[in-house]
Amino acid sequence: MPATPPSVVAPADAGSLPGKRVTLGADVPMRLDSGAELGPFVVAYQTYGTLNADKSNAIYICHALTGDHFVADRHPITGKPGWWEMLVGPGRPVDTDRYFVICSNVIGGCLGSSGPTDIDPATGQPYGLNFPILTIGDMVRAQKLLVEHLGIDKLFCVIGGSMGGMQTLQWAVAYPESVFAAIPIATAARHSAQNIAFHEVGRQAIMADPDWRNGQYLVEGTRPERGLAVARMAAHITYLSEPALHRKFGRNLQDRKAVTYGFDADFQVESYLRYQGAAFVERFDANSYLYITRAMDYFDLAADAGGSLANAFRPGGKTTPVRFCLVSFSSDWLFPTSESRAIVHALNSVAGNVSFVEINTDKGHDAFLLDEPEFHQVIHGFLEGCAEHRGLTVRRRGR
Amino acid sequence: MPATPPSVVAPADAGSLPGKRVTLGADVPMRLDSGAELGPFVVAYQTYGTLNADKSNAIYICHALTGDHFVADRHPITGKPGWWEMLVGPGRPVDTDRYFVICSNVIGGCLGSSGPTDIDPATGQPYGLNFPILTIGDMVRAQKLLVEHLGIDKLFCVIGGSMGGMQTLQWAVAYPESVFAAIPIATAARHSAQNIAFHEVGRQAIMADPDWRNGQYLVEGTRPERGLAVARMAAHITYLSEPALHRKFGRNLQDRKAVTYGFDADFQVESYLRYQGAAFVERFDANSYLYITRAMDYFDLAADAGGSLANAFRPGGKTTPVRFCLVSFSSDWLFPTSESRAIVHALNSVAGNVSFVEINTDKGHDAFLLDEPEFHQVIHGFLEGCAEHRGLTVRRRGR
């Protein structure tokens, strides 16, 4: 791969995207969990706030499956506000007047970081399925290199929801001395059979689309839009709770007083799902979707620690020094509270430093992206407490 | 449509199927809820046991979305045992030594009853999407014609799970004087937003398959197998509970000791889902899947009764005479217990005759098809009680 790979085309021309980019693994390629090597590779990232003199105020935010590094500024393709603007910004729970916030596009992604849409230097063509398979561990390994590149020895905190929560856990387990605190939200220590099953449906929907062309659609000038839309529709149902769908849509009809006795979108929920599918293919790459879902499927902290989750939090026989705050949402059936509780129990069993809050909401898994004041208060409060322990001086604008 | 429509080809040549067939609606076509008319049309059905002299021992069994009338004999395509052999047969809870059991393939289906695979007499080609859209009411209307054809005024009982439960409810509401007892199992009085959403994903998966050819695949000699398989995979997840998937598969790997870092079916649950999809397309028609899911989406007993479910059970201001026994399964998240409870509450509010049992099981929605002894005892006990009230004489072989 060239030093600055001409990161390719659909759906976003990475070179023209806002935000920061760094090439890593140029001297020594990064060894992946699969045994393959990756390097040089690009990590696209964004930062907010100012790193303090002793570099102790850095917070790493890890994004979810289809997220990106535009946490608190406008999405370059959709034009929508940053996906966590409610949580991250001046005076917000993750206060950018006080903390230096970093977020990077995961490797394997499609918004600037190296992934299957990049040109494979071996062929001069987009990688497609020749891009190496990644794990959550690999994603975090790349993030660690970025953090080192930024000259930061120890992150004040790592925060993430869903797959971002997996990365947060991975950070704490792989680099316990480099993380002061961790907030894994709406996540799990391993992907469940049901969640693997839903991912497999999405992958099969993509691969069933003849325009997928065995992953070589960029070369062949097609895009598996129908398959990717179906994958998104199936996934989207899992992000919402049944009560939320009922409250939002119920059996309401779309622009009509009666059913039409046909296969058009009679019900609002159908129209909504179709829109979600159509909007998604505008901003996301099908192969990236395959790679990232696969990384989530492979995630299993306990398996990596010899079958015991507790052991994952006792590296070298010594309890992890990381302070944890776990958050789950009562109506989240994709990453239910029981998954967070399993992590809490493992941490308790090694006398780890952990707090845990289940937020009562009917918004399902998506709640971590939505206006949930109690959730935001929990984040604020936990960070305040950690800042005090860490001895972070308060530095606010105009105060 | 000709009197004996040359019911078409894929996936099953109806003419060569075992079981009984009757042509209905030949003199007067059946008026559908959409306003369209259907007739003459064929209903394929199967019976077990013997109708008694006063024709008072008939039990109608209604099948689910992808079910058929081969309740208690071998499936003509798959060669598998009847789908409810555990429940229906000599000495079984639905005792064919005692009761006359009828089950028909729903209209719109693809195992002998008229549906979108039939030849449209107007064009001489398979209907495809020109087949009229159906409702659960239409399916039951056709069943009522079959029952009249068999000379039966009043069914002793109607039984069905899932979509079969919807039909059971529809029977009781539409023909309260023709049904002595009803056992709606794992069902609901209306399809929920989440369930409509899952159906829509399945339909979109089918319609996204280029081989679907806008529904005209039989004419064009293709079959949307990939789309139909994806639809089945997505649906199949909803039939199982998360605990059942975890117990059955967990994160077990398929024939391997380690992950392969690829997109093959590494996990057993992936392999299982792929198999479910592949097996399904061997026995089911894609357009039938569209039509039948749509009928379920449209089902809403309360809406049909002016917005009040209670009113559905008080035809003409008089409480329904039908005796109900509702059954739900604790881990069923597709048709959760709350849906059955809503029906029980409506029946209670009109002083209806209703009993209700929630079976404790981790098997999810599929439990109604599986070996659940307590469930089977409930069916047996309720039927015994009803038989006594109905004054059915016991008639057992060799006793």
Side-chain angles (χ1 to χ4, degrees):
Chain A
M1 200 187 284
T4 49
S7 191
V8 169
V9 290
D13 181 356
S16 68
L17 291 172
K20 304 175 171 72
R21 288 162 61 81
V22 61
T23 300
L24 300 167
D27 299 334
V28 183
M30 184 169 75
R31 179 94 176 174
L32 304 174
D33 282 333
S34 67
E37 291 187 335
L38 185 67
F41 62 91
V42 171
V43 171
Y45 66 104
Q46 193 58 296
T47 65
Y48 307 90
T50 311
L51 190 60
N52 62 7
D54 62 355
K55 302 186 172 179
S56 63
N57 70 335
I59 292 180
Y60 211 106
I61 291 179
C62 303
H63 70 70
L65 169 54
T66 70
D68 50 64
H69 45 301
F70 300 107
V71 176
D73 36 13
R74 206 159 282 282
H75 192 283
I77 297 173
T78 66
K80 287 188 180 167
W83 57 272
W84 238 0
E85 286 200 0
M86 264 181 288
L87 200 71
V88 180
R92 297 290 165 107
V94 180
D95 188 349
T96 52
D97 285 345
R98 189 168 180 185
Y99 305 114
F100 177 63
V101 171
I102 312 161
C103 183
S104 59
N105 187 215
V106 293
I107 54 169
C110 53
L111 216 55
S113 290
S114 292
T117 57
D118 281 319
I119 296 293
D120 180 353
T123 64
Q125 303 276 19
Y127 275 103
L129 294 199
N130 293 322
F131 197 80
I133 292 282
L134 301 171
T135 64
I136 299 291
D138 295 329
M139 293 174 179
V140 169
R141 203 167 281 130
Q143 293 166 4
K144 180 69 162 62
L145 290 177
L146 170 60
V147 166
E148 287 169 6
H149 165 80
L150 296 172
I152 298 164
D153 287 335
K154 186 166 193 158
L155 294 167
F156 169 58
C157 191
V158 183
I159 309 177
S162 197
M163 186 183 83
M166 291 177 168
Q167 293 164 67
T168 302
L169 290 165
Q170 180 69 26
W171 259 105
V173 167
Y175 311 108
E177 301 302 331
S178 303
V179 177
F180 185 77
I183 312 181
I185 301 157
T187 194
R190 53 123 186 79
H191 218 214
S192 71
Q194 190 179 66
N195 288 2
I196 294 171
F198 275 116
H199 275 178
E200 175 66 1
V201 167
R203 284 190 297 261
Q204 289 296 316
I206 290 167
M207 292 174 162
D209 188 332
D211 286 338
W212 180 63
R213 305 288 170 95
N214 205 30
Q216 289 300 98
Y217 50 87
L218 289 179
V219 178
E220 305 203 10
T222 58
R223 283 193 79 211
E225 294 189 350
R226 287 165 301 181
L228 183 59
V230 169
R232 176 60 165 188
M233 288 172 67
H236 199 83
I237 301 174
T238 69
Y239 302 152
L240 306 176
S241 70
E242 200 280 325
L245 275 168
H246 182 70
R247 177 170 45 73
K248 249 175 139 161
F249 305 110
R251 294 179 47 84
N252 296 338
L253 298 173
Q254 179 74 9
D255 303 330
R256 292 179 198 98
K257 292 219 167 115
V259 298
T260 61
Y261 296 105
F263 296 112
D264 285 343
D266 263 356
F267 296 99
Q268 286 176 9
V269 67
E270 295 176 292
S271 177
Y272 170 78
L273 269 189
R274 290 184 188 186
Y275 171 80
Q276 293 295 334
F280 184 60
V281 302
E282 294 300 314
R283 70 173 181 88
F284 216 81
D285 173 71
N287 282 341
S288 275
Y289 196 82
L290 301 182
Y291 275 83
I292 301 175
T293 54
R294 203 48 163 169
M296 290 178 76
D297 290 353
Y298 281 162
F299 187 64
D300 188 344
L301 277 186
D304 295 347
S308 154
L309 186 54
N311 280 346
F313 299 119
R314 193 167 40 193
K318 203 170 139 255
T319 293
T320 177
V322 180
R323 290 159 189 271
F324 288 88
C325 174
L326 281 103
V327 182
S328 73
F329 299 95
S330 56
S331 56
D332 183 351
W333 57 278
L334 194 64
F335 289 92
T337 290
S338 56
E339 298 282 5
S340 288
R341 231 175 236 134
I343 300 165
V344 172
H345 289 168
L347 278 161
N348 282 337
S349 76
V350 299
N353 189 332
V354 57
S355 58
F356 168 50
V357 181
E358 184 192 44
I359 305 292
N360 200 22
T361 173
D362 81 348
K363 290 178 190 152
H365 185 61
D366 257 2
F368 82 94
L369 296 169
L370 302 174
D371 187 18
E372 284 288 347
E374 194 192 340
F375 163 49
H376 295 173
Q377 281 158 25
V378 166
I379 302 289
H380 174 73
F382 179 73
L383 286 177
E384 284 288 312
C386 288
E388 195 172 312
H389 280 286
R390 181 79 169 133
L392 278 185
T393 49
V394 179
R395 195 177 58 80
R396 293 183 194 271
R397 277 198 300 214
R399 280 173 221 178
Chain B
M1 200 185 285
T4 48
S7 192
V8 169
V9 290
D13 182 355
S16 67
L17 290 173
K20 303 176 171 72
R21 289 161 63 81
V22 61
T23 299
L24 299 167
D27 299 333
V28 183
M30 184 170 74
R31 178 96 175 172
L32 303 175
D33 282 333
S34 67
E37 291 186 334
L38 184 68
F41 63 91
V42 170
V43 172
Y45 66 105
Q46 194 56 297
T47 64
Y48 307 90
T50 310
L51 189 61
N52 62 7
D54 62 356
K55 301 186 174 181
S56 63
N57 71 335
I59 292 180
Y60 211 105
I61 290 179
C62 303
H63 70 70
L65 169 54
T66 70
D68 49 64
H69 46 301
F70 300 106
V71 176
D73 36 14
R74 206 159 283 281
H75 191 284
I77 297 173
T78 66
K80 287 188 180 167
W83 57 271
W84 236 1
E85 285 200 2
M86 264 181 288
L87 200 70
V88 180
R92 298 289 164 109
V94 180
D95 188 349
T96 52
D97 284 345
R98 187 168 183 187
Y99 305 115
F100 178 62
V101 171
I102 312 160
C103 182
S104 60
N105 187 214
V106 293
I107 53 167
C110 52
L111 215 55
S113 290
S114 292
T117 56
D118 280 320
I119 296 293
D120 181 351
T123 64
Q125 302 276 18
Y127 275 104
L129 294 200
N130 292 323
F131 197 80
I133 292 282
L134 302 170
T135 64
I136 299 293
D138 295 329
M139 292 174 180
V140 170
R141 202 167 282 129
Q143 292 167 4
K144 180 70 162 62
L145 290 177
L146 170 61
V147 167
E148 288 169 5
H149 165 80
L150 295 172
I152 298 165
D153 287 335
K154 186 164 193 159
L155 294 167
F156 169 57
C157 192
V158 183
I159 309 178
S162 197
M163 186 183 83
M166 290 178 169
Q167 293 164 67
T168 301
L169 289 165
Q170 180 69 26
W171 259 106
V173 167
Y175 311 107
E177 301 302 332
S178 303
V179 177
F180 185 76
I183 310 180
I185 301 157
T187 195
R190 54 123 186 77
H191 219 215
S192 72
Q194 189 178 67
N195 288 3
I196 294 171
F198 275 116
H199 275 177
E200 174 65 3
V201 167
R203 285 189 296 262
Q204 290 295 317
I206 290 167
M207 292 174 163
D209 188 331
D211 287 338
W212 180 63
R213 305 288 170 96
N214 204 31
Q216 290 300 100
Y217 50 88
L218 288 180
V219 178
E220 305 202 10
T222 58
R223 281 192 81 212
E225 295 189 349
R226 287 165 301 182
L228 184 59
V230 169
R232 177 61 166 187
M233 289 171 68
H236 199 83
I237 301 174
T238 69
Y239 302 153
L240 306 175
S241 71
E242 199 280 325
L245 275 169
H246 182 70
R247 177 170 45 74
K248 248 175 141 163
F249 305 111
R251 294 179 48 83
N252 296 339
L253 299 173
Q254 179 75 9
D255 304 327
R256 292 180 198 98
K257 292 219 168 117
V259 298
T260 60
Y261 296 105
F263 296 112
D264 284 342
D266 263 355
F267 296 99
Q268 285 176 10
V269 68
E270 295 177 291
S271 178
Y272 170 77
L273 270 190
R274 289 183 189 187
Y275 170 79
Q276 293 295 334
F280 183 61
V281 303
E282 293 300 313
R283 70 173 180 88
F284 216 82
D285 173 69
N287 282 341
S288 274
Y289 196 82
L290 300 181
Y291 275 83
I292 301 176
T293 55
R294 202 47 162 168
M296 289 179 76
D297 292 353
Y298 281 162
F299 188 64
D300 189 344
L301 277 187
D304 294 347
S308 155
L309 186 55
N311 281 346
F313 299 119
R314 194 167 39 193
K318 202 170 139 256
T319 293
T320 176
V322 180
R323 291 161 188 269
F324 287 88
C325 174
L326 281 102
V327 181
S328 73
F329 300 95
S330 57
S331 56
D332 182 352
W333 57 278
L334 193 64
F335 289 91
T337 289
S338 56
E339 298 282 4
S340 287
R341 230 175 237 134
I343 299 165
V344 172
H345 289 169
L347 278 162
N348 282 337
S349 76
V350 299
N353 189 332
V354 57
S355 59
F356 167 52
V357 181
E358 185 193 43
I359 305 291
N360 200 24
T361 173
D362 81 346
K363 291 177 189 153
H365 185 61
D366 256 2
F368 82 94
L369 297 168
L370 302 174
D371 187 18
E372 284 287 347
E374 194 191 342
F375 162 50
H376 295 173
Q377 281 158 24
V378 166
I379 303 289
H380 174 73
F382 179 73
L383 286 177
E384 285 288 313
C386 287
E388 195 172 312
H389 281 285
R390 181 79 167 132
L392 278 185
T393 49
V394 178
R395 195 177 58 79
R396 292 184 195 272
R397 278 196 300 212
R399 277 174 223 178

